[in-house]
Amino acid sequence: MKKAKPSSSSPISSAETIGNNQDLLTQILIRIPPKPLLKLKLISKQWLSLISSLQFSHYHSLHHQNHGFLTPTALFLGVGNYYRPPFELPVLPLNPHTKVPILDFIDYPHFKILQSCNGLLLGHFYYKSNEGLRYFVCNPTTHKLKMISLPVSQLGSLRAVNLAYDPVQSPYYKVVCVRKLIYPSNMFCIYIYSSNSEEWDDSCIRFRAREYIRFDYGVFCNGIIHWNSNGKRSLRFELENKVFKRMPMLAPMFQAPEDSEDEDSRFFGESRGHLHLGVTYMPLCFKFNVFEMATDYSHWFLKYCLNLDDTMRIFPDLRFPAIDMYYGFRILSVIRSEGEESKVVILVDYKAICYELKDGILQNLYELKQCPKSLNRCPLNYIGIQVYQYFETLSCV
């Protein structure tokens, strides 16, 4: 009796079954990380259409979230001036497996990154001398970019443009434009753009605010834009309800180390739904505090109190502070994890160093001396340096 030959059509039938079942194919593809997934667009027009869709990018974010949040894999480092091709913007990988992104797809000279928000970047550039600034939102993972025309308004002067985006909650993002009115002196207004409608709201929302509020330093967290401030108080804006509310800022030298005389620098940012404020002190030492905003916005409380004076000496070539010299020390980012795997990234002596809070491990991530000379002219206290978190996502713009 002859044995039956295995059917050669069986694997093909299985592939056809998957290919013809959109839901099954989606469930398979959303498990693949963003970078490899982009290469799969070349397989067929069907896969290209599916992976490029807004709905698929949202499903992909939902699958790769970690308890409601995405995790940054790198940090873009800007020094307050404009990016001038062909130089690359410094990128700090947060783990050895990260393939750092390159922003060469932004084909505009002298552009500047203003904000990062869960995988998307907000930036602007000078188009022509007579046309002023033009704004854009882009995804450095997919290399997609969309120009955003600001609303035509004769009301006052432009103060800031902020980005609000949470891919776990919605595939759409919003852009907030803040303008300062001429009269009365403490009156501002905002316009809101939605990527869903691709339009700005017809009317503006007016509100009162102090001049010391830094609308150009907005942090989006839990559906709310929080603005930094040089004063005792600041503002937050709930996008869903379109409501402004006050929030306290940290008093100078609050719970500072005993031997410190003044604050040196502050970091204002968020991670995994927590609003952080990090403070370094003078005279320069490797002691710093990281505060967290209470959930009811009543106060800031001390989350981490770190002393790295001894730990930092594992870097033999590190220039330590001297009485007559000032080399600078600043917190670049606080990155929370679900367990005890949180980390703080600091910058000292032109070195970006990652400190693992659980194990006390220090890792040298990057040296600014590797950057173009133009980027090394920043002040030694690094006040002009801004940090933008990078997330690998398929988010559409």
Side-chain angles (χ1 to χ4, degrees), residues 219-231:
V219 174
F220 181 69
C221 178
N222 298 327
I224 303 171
I225 295 180
H226 306 79
W227 288 295
N228 200 358
S229 171
N230 296 326

Side-chain angles (χ1 to χ4, degrees), residues 27-271:
Q27 290 303 314
I28 294 174
L29 294 180
I30 62 174
R31 287 161 168 77
I32 302 175
K35 288 289 182 67
L37 191 58
L38 293 175
K39 298 179 180 179
L40 298 182
K41 288 183 175 182
L42 302 175
I43 290 180
S44 68
K45 291 183 178 180
Q46 177 197 8
W47 286 36
L48 172 63
S49 176
L50 174 62
I51 298 172
S52 302
S53 69
L54 188 70
Q55 188 178 39
F56 181 86
S57 70
H58 184 52
Y59 289 157
H60 190 268
S61 295
L62 291 175
H63 180 78
H64 288 271
Q65 65 171 311
N66 183 0
H67 298 278
F69 301 97
L70 300 179
T71 302
T73 57
L75 302 175
F76 286 107
L77 196 62
V79 294
N81 55 3
Y82 285 81
Y83 170 87
R84 300 172 184 269
F87 296 132
E88 296 178 6
L89 202 67
V91 182
L92 314 180
L94 295 175
N95 64 69
H97 307 293
T98 299
K99 185 177 180 181
V100 296
I102 300 176
L103 302 183
D104 56 357
F105 68 96
I106 305 178
D107 192 22
Y108 302 104
H110 311 308
F111 74 81
K112 181 178 181 180
I113 300 301
L114 302 175
Q115 184 187 346
S116 62
C117 194
N118 293 311
L120 299 183
L121 298 178
L122 171 70
H124 69 195
F125 64 92
Y126 281 99
Y127 180 63
K128 294 179 181 178
S129 58
N130 61 335
E131 293 189 20
L133 291 171
R134 300 187 69 178
Y135 289 79
F136 63 86
V137 174
C138 71
N139 184 333
T141 302
T142 63
H143 286 194
K144 298 299 182 181
L145 180 146
K146 181 178 179 61
M147 301 301 302
I148 305 293
S149 298
L150 296 187
V152 178
S153 174
Q154 303 300 321
L155 297 176
S157 59
L158 179 67
R159 280 301 176 91
V161 179
N162 303 135
L163 178 63
Y165 177 57
D166 184 350
V168 176
Q169 298 298 323
S170 170
Y172 302 106
Y173 61 86
K174 293 184 179 181
V175 178
V176 174
C177 175
V178 183
R179 301 188 69 90
K180 171 71 170 63
L181 302 184
I182 298 175
Y183 181 83
S185 59
N186 62 343
M187 185 66 72
F188 294 77
C189 71
I190 65 169
Y191 295 86
I192 302 175
Y193 170 91
S194 172
S195 65
N196 186 10
S197 63
E198 297 187 332
E199 294 180 349
W200 292 88
D201 286 352
D202 294 332
S203 59
C204 69
I205 304 173
R206 300 195 179 203
F207 64 100
R208 296 180 183 274
R210 299 291 185 180
E211 284 286 349
Y212 51 68
I213 295 178
R214 301 294 307 272
F215 292 108
D216 53 334
Y217 284 89
V219 174
F220 181 69
C221 178
N222 298 327
I224 303 171
I225 295 180
H226 306 79
W227 288 295
N228 200 358
S229 171
N230 296 326
K232 295 180 180 179
R233 295 182 180 84
S234 191
L235 282 178
R236 64 187 195 270
F237 177 64
E238 298 179 359
L239 276 92
E240 185 68 25
N241 302 322
K242 298 183 179 180
V243 174
F244 290 91
K245 293 184 179 180
R246 293 182 180 181
M247 68 176 189
M249 294 303 294
L250 197 68
M253 297 297 290
F254 179 70
Q255 294 188 7
E258 291 183 1
D259 52 351
S260 58
E261 298 176 0
D262 197 2
E263 291 186 2
D264 180 28
S265 66
R266 287 191 172 195
F267 159 81
F268 184 66
E270 71 86 29
S271 181

